[in-house]
Amino acid sequence: MQILFLKKNFIESNFINKFSLNNKDSGAIFSFIGKARPKNQSNTILSIDIELYEKMALVQIKKIINKLMKKYLIDDYLVIHRYGKVKPGENIVLIVVAAKHRKESFRFGEGLMDWLKVKATFWKKENFADGSQWVNQKKTDKEFIDFNL
Amino acid sequence: MQILFLKKNFIESNFINKFSLNNKDSGAIFSFIGKARPKNQSNTILSIDIELYEKMALVQIKKIINKLMKKYLIDDYLVIHRYGKVKPGENIVLIVVAAKHRKESFRFGEGLMDWLKVKATFWKKENFADGSQWVNQKKTDKEFIDFNL
Amino acid sequence: MKILYFAKLKQLVGKSEETIIIQKKKKISQVINELKKRNEVYNFAFKETNSLQYAVNCEYVDLDCFVTDNDELAIFPPVSGG
Amino acid sequence: MKILYFAKLKQLVGKSEETIIIQKKKKISQVINELKKRNEVYNFAFKETNSLQYAVNCEYVDLDCFVTDNDELAIFPPVSGG
C-alpha cells in the first residue's frame, strides 16, 4: 500500500521482486511499466521534464485507489511515478497490484492507470533538439473520463 | 518473442528487467505473474505437481499469440510456464508484453492469459497432508472459451 | 497410432501412452469404444467421454474426428494451467 | 488566498504561485476576471478558461466554485502524467 514520487530513475524489477515476495499468498501479481518513448511522431525526444503538484497528486491517487478497492478485491498495491528530468527508455510510472484472482488484479491495475492519466497532477514537457513542447492530454484518455464521470 | 517451459523456480524480476531493457522504445510493459497459492479453501497445499504435454502446449500458445497479434499491435512478448513440482508462493506463469500503447499491452496480456487457461496443455495436482487432488478447470475460464469460440 | 494420456486419465488408465493399429481411418469415438471393451479399467477411465478433451497432432478436435495410423491422438481432462 | 500555477500556465503567467486577498468569498471565474484585468500577460494566459482545470485544496472543481481566503486554488492545463 505505497505511493512513491521519485526524482531519480528506478529499476522496476527490484520493486516488483520485493512486492511479489511480500505478497506470497496472492495468486496474481499484475504490473505495468510506462516508459519515456524516444520519439514523438518523427521528432527525436532528448528528454522529458515532468512537473508535479505533489500534494494534490497524492490526494487524487489515494481517492482513485479507494474507489477501485470498493469495486475489486485486492491484497496490495504499489504506485511509483517519476518527476523531474526523464530520459528516453527510463521508467515514468510503475503500478503493481496483488490479488487472489487475476481478473481483479487486471481491472484494478488498468482502472488505476486510466484514472491516473486524467486525475493525477503531473505534466510532461518533451524536449527536442530545436525546442520543447508541453504534452497534451490524449484524446482517448479524455474520452474515458467524460464517459466515466 | 519467447516461450519457455521451466522445471525450476525462477525470479520474475530478472526476466522482466531484461525484457524491459530489450524493449527500451516500447512505452508500455505489461506483466502478469501467477503464483502457487498456499491454500485451497481451508486446505493447506504442500506442493503442486504440474503435468505438461509440451509439444501441444507450444503449438497452442503460438496459435493464441498469432491470433492476438492480428488484433493488437505489440512489440514483443515473453511467456514462461513452470512444470514439475511447485511450492506455494513460487511462480507458475509469467507473461510480459511490450507495446507502444498501454491498452494494447493490457488486451494482449489479458487475452493471452484467458486463452492459455483453456488451451495450453498443463494440468495441476494439489498435494495436501492427507492426499492429493487434480485441479478442475475454473467455471469462469470455461465460460470464457464457450463464449469466445 | 500413438495414444497419449494425461493427468487424471493417465492415472486411471495406468499408463502415459500406448500404440494401437488403425487400418485406414476410424472415428475417435470408435477408437474409444474399442478401448472400453478391453477391460474394466478402460471402461471406467472412459466412462464420461464428454468431460474429456481430444487432440490430434496437437490440435483440439471432437469425438467425430477421424484418425489414421500416422496420427498422434491425445486424450485428457480439461487443462488447468496458468 | 494562495494561487498555484502549473505547466504551460506557469510559463505564461511567469510565476508558480502568488497570494491574493479574498474578502468573504468569490467565484473562481470572478477571481480570474480580476487577474485578466491586471495586464496583457494575465489576459493572454487566461484567454481560454475552459481549457484549464481548477482545484481547490487538491479537489477538482469548476469555475462556478466559491473560494475563500484560506483556500489554495490551483490552475493548470489538463494533466498528462503516466
Side-chain angles (χ1 to χ4, degrees), chain C residues 29-81:
Chain C
S29 52
Q30 200 183 334
V31 172
I32 287 175
N33 279 333
E34 286 168 18
L35 289 171
K36 284 171 86 169
K37 281 176 195 151
R38 281 192 187 170
N39 58 44
E40 257 319 295
V41 169
Y42 280 94
N43 192 45
F44 181 77
F46 289 104
K47 206 171 30 145
E48 292 173 22
T49 48
N50 282 327
S51 68
L52 293 170
Q53 297 191 322
Y54 308 90
V56 173
N57 305 325
C58 299
E59 293 292 349
Y60 285 94
V61 296
D62 59 36
L63 281 165
D64 288 335
C65 180
F66 282 98
V67 286
T68 66
D69 204 51
N70 292 321
D71 287 330
E72 178 174 288
L73 171 63
I75 314 179
F76 44 77
V79 303
S80 57

Side-chain angles (χ1 to χ4, degrees), chain B residues 51-84:
Chain B
E51 198 172 314
L52 162 63
Y53 178 13
E54 181 165 354
K55 193 167 53 168
M56 181 162 171
L58 201 58
V59 167
Q60 292 297 321
I61 294 173
K62 280 183 180 166
K63 248 179 105 167
I64 297 166
I65 285 171
N66 285 339
K67 195 154 62 171
L68 291 169
M69 283 182 99
K70 281 184 190 135
K71 272 178 94 172
Y72 308 111
L73 203 68
I74 65 151
D75 297 328
D76 197 5
Y77 66 81
L78 167 67
V79 179
I80 301 180
H81 201 299
R82 290 282 299 283
Y83 65 97

Side-chain angles (χ1 to χ4, degrees), chain B:
Chain B
M1 309 269 179
Q2 209 179 6
I3 300 168
L4 296 173
F5 302 139
L6 300 181
K7 197 162 185 176
K8 294 230 165 124
N9 193 27
F10 61 93
I11 309 296
E12 64 280 356
S13 50
N14 295 345
F15 287 98
I16 297 172
N17 194 29
K18 202 174 155 223
F19 184 92
S20 181
L21 286 172
N22 284 345
N23 292 284
K24 267 192 167 305
D25 294 0
S26 305
I29 309 283
F30 162 101
S31 81
F32 175 76
I33 306 161
K35 295 195 289 181
R37 267 173 280 177
K39 277 179 188 296
N40 178 342
Q41 271 118 21
S42 60
N43 289 328
T44 299
I45 298 168
L46 301 180
S47 66
I48 297 176
D49 290 310
I50 303 182
E51 198 172 314
L52 162 63
Y53 178 13
E54 181 165 354
K55 193 167 53 168
M56 181 162 171
L58 201 58
V59 167
Q60 292 297 321
I61 294 173
K62 280 183 180 166
K63 248 179 105 167
I64 297 166
I65 285 171
N66 285 339
K67 195 154 62 171
L68 291 169
M69 283 182 99
K70 281 184 190 135
K71 272 178 94 172
Y72 308 111
L73 203 68
I74 65 151
D75 297 328
D76 197 5
Y77 66 81
L78 167 67
V79 179
I80 301 180
H81 201 299
R82 290 282 299 283
Y83 65 97
K85 198 167 281 295
V86 175
K87 292 198 202 84
E90 288 185 0
N91 301 325
I92 291 178
V93 62
L94 171 67
I95 282 179
V96 198
V97 182
K100 297 273 173 293
H101 303 287
R102 78 181 190 282
K103 287 290 176 184
E104 313 242 17
S105 76
F106 289 162
R107 292 289 79 74
F108 187 97
E110 188 172 358
L112 182 45
M113 274 308 298
D114 287 340
W115 284 104
L116 187 145
K117 283 265 178 188
V118 290
K119 291 288 190 183
T121 43
F122 293 90
W123 297 268
K124 284 190 276 211
K125 191 176 66 177
E126 293 171 344
N127 301 311
F128 310 103
D130 58 350
S132 64
Q133 190 182 302
W134 289 98
V135 177
N136 288 322
Q137 196 170 77
K138 263 197 209 160
K139 202 168 156 275
T140 47
D141 291 334
K142 174 71 174 59
E143 282 161 4
F144 164 81
I145 195 179
D146 288 343
F147 188 78
N148 282 281
L149 269 188

Side-chain angles (χ1 to χ4, degrees), chain D residues 29-59:
Chain D
S29 53
Q30 199 184 336
V31 172
I32 287 176
N33 280 333
E34 285 169 20
L35 289 171
K36 283 172 87 168
K37 279 177 195 149
R38 280 190 186 172
N39 60 43
E40 258 318 296
V41 168
Y42 280 93
N43 191 43
F44 181 77
F46 289 103
K47 208 171 28 143
E48 292 173 22
T49 48
N50 282 327
S51 67
L52 294 170
Q53 296 189 323
Y54 307 90
V56 174
N57 306 326
C58 299
E59 295 290 350

Side-chain angles (χ1 to χ4, degrees), chain A residues 82-138:
Chain A
R82 290 282 300 282
Y83 65 96
K85 198 166 283 292
V86 175
K87 293 199 202 83
E90 289 184 357
N91 301 326
I92 292 179
V93 64
L94 170 67
I95 282 179
V96 197
V97 182
K100 295 274 173 293
H101 303 287
R102 76 181 191 282
K103 288 290 176 183
E104 312 241 17
S105 76
F106 289 163
R107 290 290 80 74
F108 188 97
E110 187 171 358
L112 182 45
M113 273 308 297
D114 287 340
W115 284 105
L116 187 146
K117 283 267 180 188
V118 290
K119 291 289 190 182
T121 43
F122 293 90
W123 298 268
K124 284 191 276 213
K125 192 175 65 177
E126 293 172 344
N127 300 311
F128 310 104
D130 59 351
S132 65
Q133 191 183 301
W134 289 97
V135 176
N136 287 323
Q137 196 170 77
K138 264 197 210 160

